[in-house]
Each structure stands twice: as C-alpha cells, then as structure tokens.
Amino acid sequence: MYLRLSLLLTLLGLLCQPSLAQENRVNSGWYEIVYCGAGPDSKAAKLQTLLPQIYEKLLLVLADVKQGVASKAFRAYFKTNDNIAYVESIFQQIAAGSPVQVPVEGAPSGFTVPYSPMIVCVDPTTPGVNYLQEQCKGVTAASNDNTQIVVLCDLFWTLTDRVMPRSSECPKVKYNKFHPDDHRLVQNQFGAFVHEFAHTYTGVWGTHETYEPTAAVKLSAQESLRNPQNFALYAASVVAGCTKYVNPKRLRDNEELKLELDEGDIDAATALTNQIIAEEAADPTEEDATVLDTPPPLMEMFEPAGNATGGINLGELIPGTRRDGGGKRRA
C-alpha cells in the first residue's frame, strides 16, 4: 500500500510547529515515532517495547542468512548464495533503523538526503494525517514511495495477540506446494513491520507484488530481491521455526515438464521426469502425508520409490499416444 508523496511535506510542516513537535515525536533507537501519542499506555510506548523485540528476532534472521542455500528457508525465498550480501544488508538496515536515502524533488538524478526512518500512527483526529484513514482500509501498514515513512494503520493495533510469527502458522508442504498457501505467517506485527520497511530499504514500490508463499518461491533469484513479501515470508519462517519448504528448483522443473507435455514432446518430458526422480532421490522433499485428498496433476505424481534408477517412459504411460517425428505426441 503506497501513500501520497505530499505526506512527507505535510508531516514535516506539522512537526516544525513547536507546540506539536515535542509531544508527537519520540524515538526507539534510530526510528522516529510520530503521532503515536504519549504516556505509558500510548501506541508510542508500545512501539518502544515492540521494536527491541523485532531487533532480537532479526538477529536470528541474520544468522540464518549467513547459511545461504544451506538454509532451506533461504533457498526457497532467495535461491542462490549470490543473494546473501544484498539480503543481509536489507535486514541489517531494518534491524538498525539505518538512515533512508530519500530522493530530492527537482535535484539531479541520484541525489538523495539521509533521513531517519519514520513510523507514523494514523489518528483520525490529527490534522494532516487523518486523511490516511481512507488509504489504510483493509491493511495493517503502508509505505510511502521515495520517503522514509511507514504508516501503521488501525488494523496493526488489533494484532496485540499476534505480535510475532508462531510455529502453528507454518504451512505444510504437499506435492511441493504450501498448504495453506496464504499470508497467515506474516499477518502479525512483525510481518507487517518487516514487509513495509523492506519496501523502504529496497526502494521497490509501485510494481506488481507477489504475496502467496508458493508463488513467492517460484520467483527467480533476481525477482525475489524485488518482492518485499519474500523478505517478510522468509523472516517470519525463520522466526516461527518452520521446517518444511517448497523446493524452488522442483517448481521450475514441473513448469517445464508441463510445457513439454502440452507440446507433446514425450522424449523431452521423459528425460526431464527421470531427472526429477533422480534429484528427488538424492534430496527428498519434506512433505506432510495427509494434506490433500485430491490427487496431484500428472507431472507431480512421479516419485522415486521403487523407480529411482530405472526411469520411466511417459510415452508408455499416456494412453492413445505414439511417437512420431522427433518424439512428438500424436493422438
């Protein structure tokens, strides 16, 4: 969710007023907390408790990042050890509340000014930020492109019993897909915070974002770095202690196999299927046995049990087909 660029100027103007600045701005580390109230029961006080907790959990995430693809979570969401340095830098910045390089309107391209990251609480009674109520409908938090600002919406404060990801929310895996394939692992204050500040520190806004876990795993190594949800899902998975993950290579193999079958190239499909069987035998996918009642598509049914070395011939498995002209399937 993205906010209007005018928000930055509006907030800065309001905070420059002496009567408002002191009571509406506090800090937690390098994070500025704005319009979140004052006193022990205020949202600001709750954030000053929450942010150190997020920091501690991000230390666990950073330790996992160092493992690279030896971590099944990292392999699923970021694919390659070539991404370790970049992913580590994003989580380090979120953990530390590093200055955000904000482009200056009208300045030469690439010219930026560093600002402390700013958290703004939506308050329907505060001039200048009350209009954000409309933009916060249905979301827990929102980031503003090309600024250092993340807005916490009313829904964020309904998650008081869901502060951190929980192991009970880890999805199961069957036929190399997550079940349930939804957002529940990041529907908590930790997940919302990491997601929005991943937007801020990657500088990725305004692009089509992939949210479902299996689809996020299917992204390429480069695409995963430009999908803030990958950072949130990965971090939440590590914090929750999830142990079962979709294998990204097998997802791509299945897509290729489906294409070969659709095109009727039985020889190519047979060769790829035997490759998948051999790889599965060498590195079995951890799956839950009783997740789905319906059978998987044909391309997902080939398992190594009893057939890991001998291979299969898809031309013999698909009735009513024959080889003709380079292995093309014809009815």
Side-chain angles (χ1 to χ4, degrees):
M1 186 69 177
Y2 312 102
L3 308 177
R4 294 199 293 266
L5 187 58
S6 60
L7 172 61
L8 176 59
L9 297 177
T10 302
L11 286 172
L12 291 178
L14 287 169
L15 289 171
C16 286
Q17 300 177 33
S19 61
L20 291 175
Q22 190 61 36
E23 65 178 276
N24 285 292
R25 179 187 295 186
V26 298
N27 289 84
S28 179
W30 291 105
Y31 282 96
E32 287 190 89
I33 301 171
V34 178
Y35 289 118
C36 296
D41 296 325
S42 66
K43 293 175 181 176
K46 293 174 182 176
L47 285 170
Q48 288 176 312
T49 298
L50 175 63
L51 265 60
Q53 294 174 0
I54 291 176
Y55 172 82
E56 291 296 326
K57 298 301 183 183
L58 287 176
L59 294 183
L60 299 177
V61 176
L62 284 164
D64 191 83
V65 171
K66 292 183 182 297
Q67 297 183 53
V69 295
S71 158
K72 289 188 177 180
F74 189 92
R75 181 180 70 169
Y77 288 110
F78 294 110
K79 313 299 183 297
T80 170
N81 287 339
D82 292 342
N83 283 345
I84 290 176
Y86 182 80
V87 173
E88 184 177 44
S89 73
I90 297 301
F91 283 118
Q92 285 174 337
Q93 291 177 86
I94 296 173
S98 299
V100 180
Q101 299 297 325
V102 178
V104 177
E105 189 173 355
S109 177
F111 183 82
T112 61
V113 175
Y115 285 96
S116 293
M118 181 182 292
I119 302 169
V120 179
C121 295
V122 168
D123 185 343
T125 67
T126 304
V129 295
N130 55 355
Y131 71 90
L132 296 176
Q133 286 288 118
E134 184 67 25
Q135 299 188 19
C136 271
K137 283 185 176 179
V139 298
T140 54
S143 56
N144 184 17
D145 56 319
N146 294 320
T147 78
Q148 77 280 24
I149 298 167
V150 165
V151 169
L152 300 184
C153 303
D154 290 340
L155 282 178
F156 184 88
W157 303 105
T158 68
L159 299 174
T160 53
D161 63 335
R162 301 182 67 184
V163 176
M164 295 291 168
R166 298 178 290 206
S167 60
S168 61
E169 296 164 339
C170 291
K172 300 176 185 297
V173 174
K174 190 64 177 174
Y175 307 129
N176 203 35
K177 293 182 180 179
F178 286 119
H179 298 276
D181 196 12
D182 59 22
H183 318 152
R184 69 187 63 192
L185 194 60
V186 293
Q187 288 178 333
N188 46 66
Q189 292 181 340
F190 175 88
F193 185 92
V194 171
H195 181 104
E196 296 308 331
F197 276 105
H199 275 292
T200 300
Y201 286 111
T202 60
V204 175
W205 290 282
T207 58
H208 175 72
E209 191 165 356
T210 300
Y211 289 98
E212 287 69 27
T214 300
V217 171
K218 193 181 291 187
L219 296 175
S220 71
Q222 283 303 309
E223 289 170 337
S224 68
L225 299 181
R226 296 189 57 78
N227 195 60
Q229 182 78 333
N230 278 53
F231 289 86
L233 286 167
Y234 167 66
S237 298
V238 172
V239 170
C242 300
T243 59
K244 299 182 186 300
Y245 293 93
V246 167
N247 186 317
K249 183 180 186 306
R250 221 146 282 150
L251 277 176
R252 294 192 296 275
D253 285 345
N254 285 346
E255 289 292 321
E256 184 178 345
L257 178 55
K258 183 178 184 300
L259 179 63
E260 300 290 2
L261 288 171
D262 288 345
E263 292 181 349
D265 193 337
I266 301 302
D267 285 338
T270 297
L272 181 56
T273 299
N274 287 325
Q275 175 187 325
I276 293 172
I277 287 173
E279 291 175 352
E280 176 67 21
D283 181 20
T285 301
E286 295 182 34
E287 298 191 340
D288 291 276
T290 57
V291 180
L292 291 182
D293 295 325
T294 56
L298 175 64
M299 63 190 178
E300 295 174 341
M301 292 180 68
F302 308 124
E303 298 179 357
N307 205 8
T309 56
I312 64 172
N313 187 328
L314 290 183
E316 298 170 357
L317 289 180
I318 304 174
T321 65
R322 63 183 177 84
R323 296 176 184 273
D324 183 25
K328 295 297 182 183
R329 178 178 130 198
R330 300 184 186 276

